[in-house]
């Protein structure tokens, strides 16, 4: 192994699997999620899935135990690819700060881009900043603004934590992962699996095409109802987003 000029090993690929950190040749070619879900691994189902069930249970226990004492929280989603100087990162930083000032912890996926910006805003405002990471082939690691971080092997365990410990979702511009979280949240609200749970889109210009398609295709074809459109709130105003969340909070209910 070659060494860098400062006497330390050169930067190497790194992957986190729960409490385990893997580097260099120890990084496996596949992830735990892939081995669980990909049918190409069906030869392992009878020999390894029972043990995977215990590992999955342990991830739920770890997440529940770590996050149970959080203050009221809001999950913020957005692209890991957004540049720090982008409009959405600037918006996420202001949002994170405003949520912290309103007494909410901020939960993100713990990565770079919009997630890092929201964590930074919350931390700089004196709030609690949470990152829920995931094992990926292109490992990102938790950003430096996370106060409480958990690395998960399984997406579905991580998704449970995003919903269970949040009182709202705020969704900024992002890609497939962001859309996944957005539509899962809307489905949970629509089916009343979660109640009094605002889903707020921020980045009006970015989301306008998707919203037009929902109205002109899904609504016009009868795939959703007019009332379903009210499940999504859209704004670029940080103060309005926080107000929507506060007004929906159980703490605001009359005694």
């Amino acid at each position: 192994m070659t060494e860098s000029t400062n006497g330390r090993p050169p930067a190497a690929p790194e992957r986190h699997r729960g409490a385990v950190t893997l580097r260099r040749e120890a990084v496996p070619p596949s992830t735990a999620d892939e081995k669980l879900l990909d049918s190409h691994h069906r030869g392992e189902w009878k020999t390894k899935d029972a043990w995977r069930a215990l590992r999955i249970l342990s991830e739920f226990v770890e997440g529940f135990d770590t996050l149970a004492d959080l203050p009221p929280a809001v999950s913020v989603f957005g692209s890991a690819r957004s540049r720090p100087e982008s409009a959405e990162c600037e918006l996420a930083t202001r949002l994170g700060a405003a949520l912290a000032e309103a007494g909410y912890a901020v939960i993100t996926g713990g990565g770079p881009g919009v997630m890092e910006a929201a964590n930074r805003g919350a931390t700089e405002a004196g709030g609690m900043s949470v990152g829920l990471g995931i094992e990926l082939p292109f490992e990102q690691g938790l950003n430096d603004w996370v106060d409480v971080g958990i690395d998960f092997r399984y997406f579905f365990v991580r998704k449970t934590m995003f919903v269970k410990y949040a009182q709202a979702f705020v969704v900024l511009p992002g890609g497939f992962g962001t859309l996944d979280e957005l539509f899962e949240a809307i489905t949970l609200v629509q089916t009343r699996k979660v109640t009094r749970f605002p889903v707020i889109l921020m980045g009006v210009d970015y989301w306008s095409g998707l919203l037009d398609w929902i109205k002109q295709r899904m609504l016009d074809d009868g795939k959703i109802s007019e009332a379903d459109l009210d499940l999504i709130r859209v704004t670029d105003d940080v103060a309005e987003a926080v107000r929507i969340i506060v007004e929906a909070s159980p703490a605001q209910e009359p005694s």
Side-chain angles (χ1 to χ4, degrees):
M1 180 182 68
T2 60
E3 291 192 353
S4 62
T5 55
N6 62 5
R8 295 182 178 180
E14 180 174 297
R15 184 177 299 176
H16 298 276
R17 280 187 165 177
V20 178
T21 298
L22 303 171
R23 293 184 178 133
R24 290 175 283 277
E25 289 77 12
V27 176
S30 60
T31 65
D33 254 338
E34 179 191 336
K35 288 183 177 180
L36 175 68
L37 301 174
D38 194 331
S39 61
H40 293 133
H41 294 285
R42 73 178 290 133
E44 300 180 355
W45 290 354
K46 285 189 175 181
T47 59
K48 295 186 177 180
D49 275 4
W51 288 106
R52 288 194 180 111
L54 294 176
R55 181 182 291 164
I56 290 165
L57 178 61
S58 73
E59 287 212 337
F60 276 113
V61 171
E62 186 73 29
F64 294 158
D65 186 60
T66 302
L67 301 176
D69 294 326
L70 281 182
V74 174
S75 289
V76 178
F77 299 97
S79 178
R81 303 185 185 189
S82 296
R83 304 295 298 172
E85 66 275 10
S86 66
E88 59 261 31
C89 281
E90 188 274 334
L91 183 61
T93 301
R94 290 194 290 115
L95 174 68
L99 289 170
E101 291 165 358
Y104 293 95
V106 171
I107 303 174
T108 78
V114 167
M115 295 175 281
E116 181 172 8
N119 285 136
R120 176 175 182 169
T123 298
E124 289 184 335
M128 175 65 69
S129 187
V130 180
L132 307 181
I134 185 70
E135 178 190 11
L136 295 171
F138 39 92
E139 181 64 35
Q140 297 168 342
L142 296 175
N143 68 69
D144 292 337
W145 297 97
V146 168
D147 299 316
V148 176
I150 308 175
D151 280 306
F152 292 95
R153 291 181 175 92
Y154 300 101
F155 265 111
F156 55 89
V157 180
R158 180 183 185 233
K159 285 182 172 184
T160 300
M161 305 304 156
F162 279 131
V163 176
K164 180 175 177 60
Y165 294 102
Q167 296 188 0
F169 275 12
V170 182
V171 186
L172 286 87
F176 288 151
T178 302
L179 289 174
D180 177 47
E181 298 292 354
L182 167 62
F183 283 108
E184 182 166 42
I186 295 170
T187 302
L188 290 172
V189 177
Q190 181 194 46
T191 57
R192 300 185 182 179
K193 300 298 183 183
V194 294
T195 59
R196 299 181 64 86
F197 193 94
V199 179
I200 303 168
L201 296 181
M202 301 194 74
V204 174
D205 289 343
Y206 185 84
W207 297 112
S208 60
L210 175 63
L211 294 171
D212 288 343
W213 181 82
I214 290 173
K215 295 173 184 176
Q216 296 167 10
R217 176 60 69 181
M218 296 177 75
L219 180 61
D220 289 351
D221 282 0
K223 304 300 189 293
I224 62 172
S225 70
E226 189 80 36
D228 289 333
L229 295 176
D230 295 332
L231 301 179
I232 306 172
R233 307 291 292 272
V234 187
T235 183
D236 280 338
D237 187 325
V238 169
E240 181 182 3
V242 174
R243 177 182 58 78
I244 292 169
I245 295 166
V246 170
E247 289 178 353
S249 171
Q252 300 299 313
E253 293 178 351
S255 58

